[in-house]
Amino acid sequence: MKNNKYIKLLTIVTIFSLLGVWVEAAGPYKRAGTSASAFLKLGTGAPEAQALGNAYTALSSGAQALFWNPAGIATSTSREIQVSHMQWFEGVGDSAVGYIQPIGKTILGVSLRYMRLSGDDLNARDPEGIPYNITGDAIRDFVATVSLGRTFFGVLDIGGTAKYINEDNVGVKHINPAFDIGGKLRISNNRFVIGVMGQNLGDPDEVPSAIRGGAAINTKYFTVSGEIVDYVDDKLRYGVGLAIHIPEDLVQVASFDIRVGYYNRENTGWAEDGDIAEKIGLETTSKVTLGFGFYSSEVFGYGLGLDYTMMPSGALGTAHQLAVRLQF
């Protein structure tokens, strides 16, 4: 029995070491300029992650893991479908759908995402200063993914995602592949979790590749998480999040979460008078995020969840994301 424990421990350490080497080898390097497909940084499909200051690599689970860390789907025990929509700035809409299907001990996930901006909402000019005359959508960015996840030894979750990225911005088109690979190590019955991943691995001129690492502490009534991320085209960023849990057994209806996060993005000026951020005293910061979620395991025999996040962003306005998921 002791030998088996040593073998499991050695295997866990080896897998995480190999994962780290792979991410370091395939991951980002610092350079001047920016990567294309910057919209991949927005976190569409994962409002819980955004509400927690992007500190979600160690916490990712269910369909939202398809859009963050695919290792999070490894512990799914039922089919799940999620539909989300983010209303971003200047009329940009970003919608996504994700589906999870357990197949034995392996979990399969697929997702689709579409980001659009109508030509009527685009306030842009060509190099000679003439306004673009665009009918239909000026921005049409599409992402399709396939993910696989599996748990090893009951504590180690591994997942990978293959991405097809089709970016069309005012007629300039790019098609690129990218990959995510992530792992989560759950310690002491999931009370402490460590997560690591390589995100958007591919050509760093075409996709914003990143290394992410985080940890979380879970209790019945609260969760604290932290994360650092190193993008190929950005300085090192960090985020922290706090979720307060109201368990389902206390209210007999559903479990509720109240979430707050901090992410050290750049501030973008003052929110306009009348913006919701100004009304709640967050008119000067773009670093704080707020959100909530609820989940009921018994809605006509199904599991039903809802997650909402608001992201104050100074003079740019406030972005909102809402996701609804069904487990069956």
Side-chain angles (χ1 to χ4, degrees), residues 43-63:
T44 301
E48 183 178 358
Q50 290 180 325
L52 294 172
N54 293 340
Y56 195 61
T57 294
L59 292 175
S60 61
S61 64

Side-chain angles (χ1 to χ4, degrees), residues 3-37:
N3 287 337
N4 288 338
K5 290 182 179 179
Y6 290 140
I7 291 173
K8 289 181 179 180
L9 179 60
L10 179 60
T11 303
I12 290 171
V13 172
T14 301
I15 291 175
F16 266 83
S17 298
L18 290 175
L19 179 62
V21 171
W22 184 357
V23 170
E24 182 65 26
Y29 55 88
K30 290 300 178 186
R31 60 177 178 80
T34 59
S35 296
S37 299

